[in-house]
Coordinates of all heavy atoms in Angstrom, one line a residue:
R1 N 105.7 140.5 80.8 CA 106.1 141.9 80.4 C 107.1 141.9 79.2 O 106.9 142.7 78.3 CB 106.8 142.6 81.6 CG 105.9 143.2 82.7 CD 106.6 143.9 83.7 NE 105.7 144.7 84.5 CZ 105.2 145.9 84.2 NH1 105.7 146.5 83.0 NH2 104.4 146.6 84.9
G2 N 108.0 141.0 79.3 CA 109.0 141.0 78.2 C 108.4 140.6 76.9 O 108.7 141.2 75.8
H3 N 107.5 139.6 76.9 CA 106.9 139.1 75.6 C 105.7 139.9 75.2 O 105.1 139.6 74.1 CB 106.5 137.7 75.8 CG 107.7 136.7 75.8 ND1 108.5 136.5 74.7 CD2 108.3 136.0 76.8 CE1 109.5 135.7 75.0 NE2 109.4 135.4 76.3
S4 N 105.3 141.0 75.9 CA 104.3 141.9 75.5 C 104.8 143.2 75.1 O 104.1 144.2 74.8 CB 103.2 142.0 76.5 OG 103.7 142.6 77.7
G5 N 106.2 143.3 75.2 CA 106.8 144.6 74.8 C 106.9 145.6 75.9 O 107.1 146.8 75.6
R6 N 106.7 145.2 77.1 CA 106.7 146.2 78.2 C 108.0 146.2 79.0 O 108.7 145.2 78.9 CB 105.5 145.9 79.2 CG 104.2 146.2 78.6 CD 103.0 145.7 79.4 NE 101.7 146.2 78.9 CZ 101.1 145.8 77.8 NH1 101.6 144.8 77.1 NH2 100.0 146.3 77.4
P7 N 108.3 147.3 79.7 CA 109.6 147.4 80.4 C 109.6 146.4 81.5 O 108.5 146.0 82.1 CB 109.6 148.8 80.9 CG 108.1 149.2 80.9 CD 107.5 148.5 79.8
L8 N 110.8 145.9 81.9 CA 110.9 144.9 82.9 C 111.1 145.6 84.3 O 112.1 145.7 84.9 CB 112.2 144.0 82.6 CG 112.1 143.2 81.3 CD1 113.4 142.4 81.1 CD2 110.9 142.3 81.3
H9 N 109.9 146.1 84.7 CA 109.9 146.9 85.9 C 108.6 146.5 86.7 O 107.5 146.6 86.1 CB 109.9 148.4 85.7 CG 109.7 149.2 86.9 ND1 110.6 149.4 87.9 CD2 108.6 149.9 87.3 CE1 110.2 150.2 88.8 NE2 108.9 150.5 88.5
A10 N 108.7 146.1 87.9 CA 107.6 145.7 88.7 C 106.9 146.9 89.3 O 107.5 147.8 89.9 CB 108.0 144.7 89.8
S11 N 105.6 147.0 89.1 CA 104.8 148.1 89.7 C 104.5 147.7 91.2 O 104.8 146.7 91.7 CB 103.5 148.2 88.9 OG 102.6 147.1 89.1
S12 N 103.8 148.7 91.8 CA 103.5 148.5 93.2 C 102.5 147.3 93.4 O 102.6 146.5 94.4 CB 102.9 149.7 93.8 OG 101.7 150.1 93.1
A13 N 101.6 147.1 92.4 CA 100.7 146.0 92.5 C 101.4 144.6 92.4 O 101.2 143.7 93.1 CB 99.6 146.1 91.4
E14 N 102.4 144.6 91.5 CA 103.2 143.3 91.3 C 104.0 143.1 92.6 O 104.1 141.9 93.0 CB 104.1 143.5 90.1 CG 103.2 143.4 88.8 CD 104.0 144.0 87.6 OE1 104.4 145.2 87.8 OE2 104.0 143.4 86.6
I15 N 104.6 144.1 93.1 CA 105.4 144.0 94.4 C 104.5 143.4 95.5 O 104.9 142.6 96.3 CB 106.1 145.3 94.8 CG1 107.1 145.7 93.7 CG2 106.8 145.2 96.1 CD1 107.6 147.1 93.9
A16 N 103.3 144.0 95.6 CA 102.4 143.5 96.6 C 102.1 142.0 96.4 O 102.0 141.2 97.4 CB 101.1 144.3 96.5
A17 N 101.9 141.6 95.1 CA 101.7 140.1 94.9 C 102.9 139.3 95.3 O 102.7 138.2 95.9 CB 101.4 139.9 93.4
Y18 N 104.1 139.8 95.0 CA 105.3 139.1 95.4 C 105.3 138.9 97.0 O 105.6 137.8 97.4 CB 106.6 139.9 95.1 CG 106.8 140.1 93.6 CD1 107.7 141.1 93.2 CD2 106.1 139.4 92.6 CE1 108.0 141.3 91.8 CE2 106.4 139.6 91.3 CZ 107.3 140.6 90.9 OH 107.5 140.8 89.5
V19 N 105.1 140.0 97.7 CA 105.1 139.9 99.1 C 104.0 139.0 99.7 O 104.3 138.1 100.6 CB 105.0 141.3 99.7 CG1 104.8 141.2 101.2 CG2 106.2 142.2 99.3
L20 N 102.8 139.0 99.1 CA 101.7 138.2 99.6 C 102.0 136.7 99.4 O 101.7 135.9 100.3 CB 100.4 138.6 98.8 CG 99.8 139.9 99.1 CD1 98.7 140.3 98.1 CD2 99.2 139.9 100.5
V21 N 102.6 136.3 98.3 CA 102.9 134.9 98.1 C 103.9 134.4 99.1 O 103.7 133.4 99.7 CB 103.5 134.7 96.6 CG1 104.2 133.3 96.5 CG2 102.4 134.8 95.6
H22 N 105.0 135.2 99.4 CA 106.0 134.8 100.3 C 105.5 134.8 101.8 O 105.9 134.0 102.6 CB 107.3 135.5 100.1 CG 108.0 135.1 98.9 ND1 108.7 133.8 98.9 CD2 108.2 135.6 97.7 CE1 109.2 133.6 97.7 NE2 109.0 134.7 97.0
V23 N 104.8 135.8 102.1 CA 104.2 135.9 103.5 C 103.2 134.7 103.7 O 103.2 134.0 104.7 CB 103.5 137.2 103.8 CG1 102.8 137.2 105.1 CG2 104.5 138.3 103.8
G24 N 102.4 134.4 102.7 CA 101.5 133.3 102.7 C 102.3 132.0 102.9 O 101.9 131.1 103.7
A25 N 103.4 131.8 102.2 CA 104.2 130.6 102.3 C 104.8 130.5 103.7 O 104.8 129.4 104.3 CB 105.3 130.6 101.2
M26 N 105.3 131.6 104.2 CA 105.9 131.6 105.6 C 104.8 131.2 106.6 O 105.1 130.5 107.6 CB 106.5 133.0 105.9 CG 107.8 133.2 105.1 SD 108.7 134.7 105.7 CE 107.7 136.0 104.9
L27 N 103.7 131.8 106.5 CA 102.6 131.4 107.4 C 102.2 130.0 107.3 O 102.0 129.3 108.4 CB 101.3 132.3 107.1 CG 101.4 133.8 107.5 CD1 100.2 134.5 107.0 CD2 101.6 134.0 109.0
R28 N 102.2 129.4 106.1 CA 101.8 128.0 106.0 C 102.9 127.1 106.5 O 102.5 126.0 107.0 CB 101.5 127.7 104.5 CG 101.1 126.3 104.2 CD 99.7 126.1 104.8 NE 99.3 124.7 104.7 CZ 99.6 123.7 105.5 NH1 100.4 124.0 106.6 NH2 99.1 122.5 105.4
V29 N 104.1 127.4 106.4 CA 105.2 126.5 106.8 C 105.6 126.7 108.3 O 105.6 125.8 109.0 CB 106.4 126.8 105.9 CG1 107.6 126.0 106.4 CG2 106.1 126.4 104.4
F30 N 105.8 128.0 108.7 CA 106.4 128.2 110.0 C 105.4 128.4 111.1 O 105.8 128.0 112.3 CB 107.3 129.4 109.9 CG 108.5 129.2 109.0 CD1 108.7 130.0 107.9 CD2 109.4 128.2 109.2 CE1 109.7 129.9 107.0 CE2 110.5 128.0 108.3 CZ 110.6 128.8 107.2

């Protein structure tokens, strides 16, 4: 975002990706 001139703000799709990565990690570990 920063290097393409866009605002540093996460959209709902990006937030979904954040959550998916961490829930996936928790499932794999715990």
Side-chain angles (χ1 to χ4, degrees):
R1 278 186 166 277
H3 288 289
S4 62
R6 288 169 171 80
L8 299 178
H9 172 75
S11 68
S12 57
E14 289 157 310
I15 295 170
Y18 297 165
V19 172
L20 289 169
V21 164
H22 282 290
V23 173
M26 287 188 285
L27 290 174
R28 183 64 186 88
V29 173
F30 296 120

